[in-house]
């Protein structure tokens, strides 16, 4: 791909956000935002994914696949890449304007001693520890959190609960962070999201709600919980299924053989056995546990 083939936003917009686009030595789109570099790296399956690198001093045209690491999601096309680049540039600009303060302070957190603290505002501090981290809110700040989400401990861990802080104090977070927080909120607490917003989430808007719907819909069906390519039957996958995706040692389990090509089309919540087409299988197994059951060893 040539540089001339890239779609360009107005030069003023690129300069305002400090964005530079180009094409790498390997032929994929790249961009520079200050000391951050992003790339649209081809994947083995023909798609592409977003990769990043920092503090590269060479021209964009000299960069190669080996310069980039991380994996921040798949990209549908170059337009999606450019949108992510501008989103990142805007995030960096907004982040700079927020003037968060990083410091060290003596604090005991639910995850261990604080090693680094970031002060977002008075009464809102994010702590990093050796293994985890999260936010601590003062009593006054915590009272401003919706009762549906408020924690009596005042601590909000970094994996999902950070979104509660971001949505409670949106002025302290960037547009990108607020977008991520809303997604986390929808996926983690769909019922609370619906009550706060006064409307129902549609299919595809909440992973958690979609999974709940899937499990209700298939409560009486056999759903795969484990799978392995069969060495005994060509182009087949041996699967173990339970009723309604129950993962419990006491659950009734059955094995089935499913064509591997068909199993590859499974959805995000599991593969549902069609008892009219997928017969119960009791032959030689590639699962170590099932081999031991048959041999008694």
């Amino acid at each position: 791909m040539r540089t001339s083939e890239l779609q360009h936003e107005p030069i003023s917009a690129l300069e305002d956000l400090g964005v530079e686009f180009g094409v790498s030595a390997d032929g994929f789109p790249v961009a520079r935002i200050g000391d951050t570099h992003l790339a649209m790296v081809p994947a083995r399956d023909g798609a592409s994914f977003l990769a990043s690198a920092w503090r590269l001093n060479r021209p964009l045209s000299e960069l190669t696949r080996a310069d980039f690491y991380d994996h921040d999601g798949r990209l549908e096309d170059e337009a999606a890449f450019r949108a992510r680049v501008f989103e990142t540039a805007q995030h960096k600009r907004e982040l700079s304007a927020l003037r968060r303060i990083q410091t060290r302070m003596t604090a005991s957190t639910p995850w261990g001693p604080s090693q680094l603290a970031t002060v977002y505002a008075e009464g809102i501090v994010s702590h990093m520890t050796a293994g985890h981290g999260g936010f601590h809110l003062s009593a006054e700040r915590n009272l401003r959190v919706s009762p549906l989400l408020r924690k009596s401990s005042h601590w909000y861990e970094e994996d999902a609960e950070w979104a509660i802080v971001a949505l409670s104090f949106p002025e302290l977070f960037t547009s990108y962070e607020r977008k991520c927080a809303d997604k986390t909120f929808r996926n983690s607490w769909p019922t609370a999201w619906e009550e706060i917003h006064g409307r129902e989430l549609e299919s595809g808007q909440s992973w958690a709600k979609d999974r709940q719907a899937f499990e209700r819909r298939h409560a009486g069906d056999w759903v795969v919980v484990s799978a392995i390519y069969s060495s005994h039957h060509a182009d087949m996958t041996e699967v173990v299924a339970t009723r309604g995706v129950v993962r419990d040692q006491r659950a009734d389990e059955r094995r089935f053989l499913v064509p591997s090509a068909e199993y590859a089309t499974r959805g995000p919540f599991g593969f549902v056995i069609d008892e009219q087409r997928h017969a119960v299988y009791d032959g030689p197994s590639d699962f170590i546990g099932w081999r031991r059951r048959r041999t008694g060893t």
Side-chain angles (χ1 to χ4, degrees):
M1 181 181 295
R2 300 186 301 275
T3 304
S4 60
E5 292 175 329
L6 294 172
Q7 298 176 357
H8 287 280
E9 278 70 15
I11 296 298
S12 59
L14 299 178
E15 293 176 346
D16 288 346
L17 291 175
V19 176
E20 176 189 357
F21 283 102
V23 177
S24 73
D26 294 334
F28 53 76
V30 290
R32 188 197 318 271
I33 312 166
D35 59 0
T36 299
H37 292 71
L38 299 176
M40 181 178 173
V41 178
R44 293 180 179 178
D45 61 2
S48 297
F49 64 89
L50 185 69
S52 58
W54 283 266
R55 297 180 180 178
L56 301 176
N57 297 319
R58 307 195 310 281
L60 295 179
S61 60
E62 295 181 8
L63 302 182
T64 68
R65 174 66 183 86
D67 290 310
F68 294 90
Y69 44 93
D70 282 351
H71 189 314
D72 197 19
R74 294 170 68 90
L75 295 167
E76 293 298 324
D77 50 31
E78 191 172 323
F81 170 66
R82 295 178 70 83
R84 292 291 298 273
V85 170
F86 279 102
E87 183 177 58
T88 301
Q90 187 63 38
H91 167 68
K92 291 171 70 70
R93 168 173 285 193
E94 293 178 18
L95 196 61
S96 177
L98 290 173
R99 301 185 182 279
R100 296 170 185 169
I101 300 172
Q102 285 195 339
T103 186
R104 296 186 183 276
M105 60 176 65
T106 302
S108 177
T109 81
W111 316 286
S114 175
Q115 295 186 343
L116 181 66
T118 302
V119 180
Y120 281 60
E122 183 177 354
I124 303 178
V125 182
S126 172
H127 292 274
M128 291 179 59
T129 71
H132 202 55
F135 281 91
H136 181 265
L137 302 184
S138 67
E140 187 277 330
R141 291 285 191 177
N142 204 42
L143 285 174
R144 293 175 55 184
V145 176
S146 168
L148 293 172
L149 300 167
R150 184 187 305 143
K151 296 183 66 182
S152 59
S153 69
H154 297 206
W155 289 99
Y156 297 82
E157 59 84 30
E158 66 184 6
D159 287 343
E161 293 172 354
W162 76 273
I164 297 173
V165 180
L167 296 173
S168 299
F169 307 96
E171 70 280 4
L172 301 178
F173 292 80
T174 69
S175 301
Y176 174 72
E177 289 171 331
R178 294 194 297 271
K179 185 180 80 169
C180 293
D182 184 69
K183 180 179 180 181
T184 298
F185 185 20
R186 286 185 277 113
N187 286 331
S188 301
W189 303 281
T191 302
W193 191 100
E194 291 177 334
E195 185 166 344
I196 289 173
H197 290 271
R199 61 184 177 87
E200 289 192 10
L201 288 162
E202 299 178 2
S203 176
Q205 291 186 315
S206 170
W207 186 90
K209 184 173 182 179
D210 290 348
R211 183 180 182 88
Q212 292 167 4
F214 173 88
E215 292 179 350
R216 287 194 302 270
R217 189 164 58 250
H218 296 291
D221 295 326
W222 292 95
V223 182
V224 174
V225 295
S226 298
I228 190 170
Y229 284 116
S230 175
S231 64
H232 305 283
H233 302 273
D235 301 320
M236 301 295 284
T237 294
E238 179 187 354
V239 304
V240 175
T242 63
R243 289 282 189 189
V245 209
V246 175
R247 296 179 182 274
D248 189 304
Q249 291 183 346
R250 296 168 297 179
D252 184 21
E253 296 180 332
R254 290 185 184 179
R255 286 186 300 146
F256 299 85
L257 282 180
V258 177
S260 295
E262 182 181 356
Y263 186 71
T265 66
R266 63 193 180 278
F269 307 120
F271 184 90
V272 180
I273 294 296
D274 182 344
E275 294 185 77
Q276 300 299 315
R277 298 188 301 108
H278 306 131
V280 174
Y281 175 65
D282 194 36
S285 179
D286 286 286
F287 287 108
I288 295 176
W290 280 87
R291 288 204 302 268
R292 287 174 177 168
R293 294 184 197 183
R294 291 175 63 86
T295 62
T297 60

